[in-house]
């Protein structure tokens, strides 16, 4: 089967998940074609013979205050689908990928080269950006035009039904983690450097946007540090980084915090962490937290969105109301203040992460691809000889 994946190529969770999915599918022998404006971050780390990258170029012109990415993307989809003979297109993040796919399909229908497309909703495409009236009509229409819709958590599915008039079933396929890559490795020399007196290490990873409530991370750390000798690692970059760096200076705790910026080898950093802090305002899933849990790191988070679906209160960490930094700091201190307790939470975190191992989740996407291709071709009144679904259908009895 030949699968086209359309995503944002950046450090954001949707792009990361899309890339990890493409890598996992290519390992299983599928041919995967990424269509986006830059090489996705996690693709750059090694060469994969089944993976192709098609760069969407958006030529500029003095007339364009806003170069039309969606038009360039739809054209790229048309070209790749026809030339590479793709069987299915999988869009990650609704805006503008689903509407561009709809447009591409209208073009392809003229020549009978149209293929089905699946839209995976990731979070802010629904909870923040998508429901803005600027985008909502187009988002609603193009989600409904998708041949299948998936959401990364039950919570996101509910939010989608709440905010949009969706006429179809939404399949929940949770995010996953590759535990072969995300696991605790021995990085004691690194820990020694950052926490020379055996301090506890807290970590936060995000895009430093306001939805992440990064100032709350600093407030929590300030409270924890007063009770437990500790250090904080801040990974990622974004609009609020300067503000929180200034805040840390004002509080006099800057020297105990390392702002590491965007990092590719996240699992090495997570390997030395004792606690992951995620005080988000909304979070459809929290992929960064799952990756931390896979590296034995318990989680202090809010109870927003899909976080209660991965963070089990009192077991893998604790959940608090959004903005309740006192509760989050108290919970952090509770976990960190006793070595045996910390050990228990770490064990529970990794056990929970294993439930989201990629081998449990990838087959759900494979099954959906085959179902969608089969249904689409039946509807088009075509025979099923094209894509390699027959083989898969026999193996999985669908
Ligand atoms: O968290 C972000 O702002 C990035 C965003 C994205 O679309 O790249 O992440 C969303 O998708 C991730 C992967 O499915 C989820 O793990 C995140 O929870 C979700 N972010 C939000 O809902 C805020």
């Amino acid at each position: 089967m030949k699968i086209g994946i359309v995503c944002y190529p950046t450090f954001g969770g949707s792009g990361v998940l899309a890339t990890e999915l493409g890598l996992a599918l290519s390992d299983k022998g599928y041919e995967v074609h990424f269509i986006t404006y830059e090489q996705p971050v996690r693709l750059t780390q090694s060469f994969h013979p089944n993976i192709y990258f098609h760069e969407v170029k958006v030529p500029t012109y003095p007339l364009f205050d806003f170069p039309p990415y969606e038009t360039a993307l739809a054209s790229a989809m048309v070209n790749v689908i026809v030339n590479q003979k793709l069987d299915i297109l999988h869009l990650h993040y609704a805006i503008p990928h689903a509407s561009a796919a709809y447009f591409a399909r209208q073009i392809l229908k003229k020549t009978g080269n149209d293929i089905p497309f699946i839209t995976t909703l990731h979070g802010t495409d629904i909870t923040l950006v998508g429901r803005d009236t600027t985008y909502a009509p187009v988002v609603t229409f193009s989600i409904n035009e998708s041949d299948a819709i998936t959401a990364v958590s039950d919570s996101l599915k509910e939010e989608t039904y709440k905010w949009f008039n969706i006429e179809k079933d939404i399949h929940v396929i949770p995010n996953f983690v590759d535990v072969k890559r995300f696991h605790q490795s021995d990085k004691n020399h690194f820990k020694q450097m950052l926490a020379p007196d055996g301090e506890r290490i807290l970590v936060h990873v995000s895009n430093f946007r306001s939805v992440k409530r990064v100032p709350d991370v600093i407030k929590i750390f300030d409270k924890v540090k007063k009770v437990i000798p500790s250090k904080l690692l801040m990974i990622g970059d974004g609009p609020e980084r300067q503000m929180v760096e200034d805040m840390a200076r004002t509080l006099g705790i800057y020297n105990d915090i390392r702002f590491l910026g965007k990092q590719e080898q996240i699992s090495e950093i997570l390997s030395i962490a004792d606690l992951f802090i995620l005080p988000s305002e909304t979070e459809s899933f929290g992929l960064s937290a799952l990756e931390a849990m896979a590296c034995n790191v318990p989680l202090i988070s809010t109870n927003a969105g899909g976080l209660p679906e991965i963070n089990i209160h009192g077991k893998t960490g604790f959940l608090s109301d959004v903005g309740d930094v006192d509760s989050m700091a108290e919970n952090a201190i509770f976990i960190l203040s006793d070595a045996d307790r910390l050990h228990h939470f770490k064990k529970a975190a990794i056990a929970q992460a294993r439930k989201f191992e990629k081998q449990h989740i990838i087959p759900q996407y494979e099954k959906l691809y085959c179902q969608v291709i089969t249904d689409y071709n039946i509807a088009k009144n075509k025979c099923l000889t094209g894509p390699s679904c027959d083989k898969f259908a026999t193996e999985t009895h669908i």
Side-chain angles (χ1 to χ4, degrees), residues 36 57 110 161 193 285 302 322 340 354 373 382 391:
T36 180
K57 296 201 178 62
K110 299 266 178 209
Y161 282 131
M193 253 171 55
F285 184 90
T302 56
V322 173
D340 282 346
R354 287 207 178 104
I373 292 171
K382 278 189 176 173
K391 179 173 165 279

Side-chain angles (χ1 to χ4, degrees), residues 333-346:
I333 292 165
F334 177 75
I335 294 178
L336 295 175
S337 57
D338 182 289
D340 282 346
R341 190 181 297 141
L342 175 60
H343 180 72
H344 269 91
F345 274 88
K346 285 187 174 217

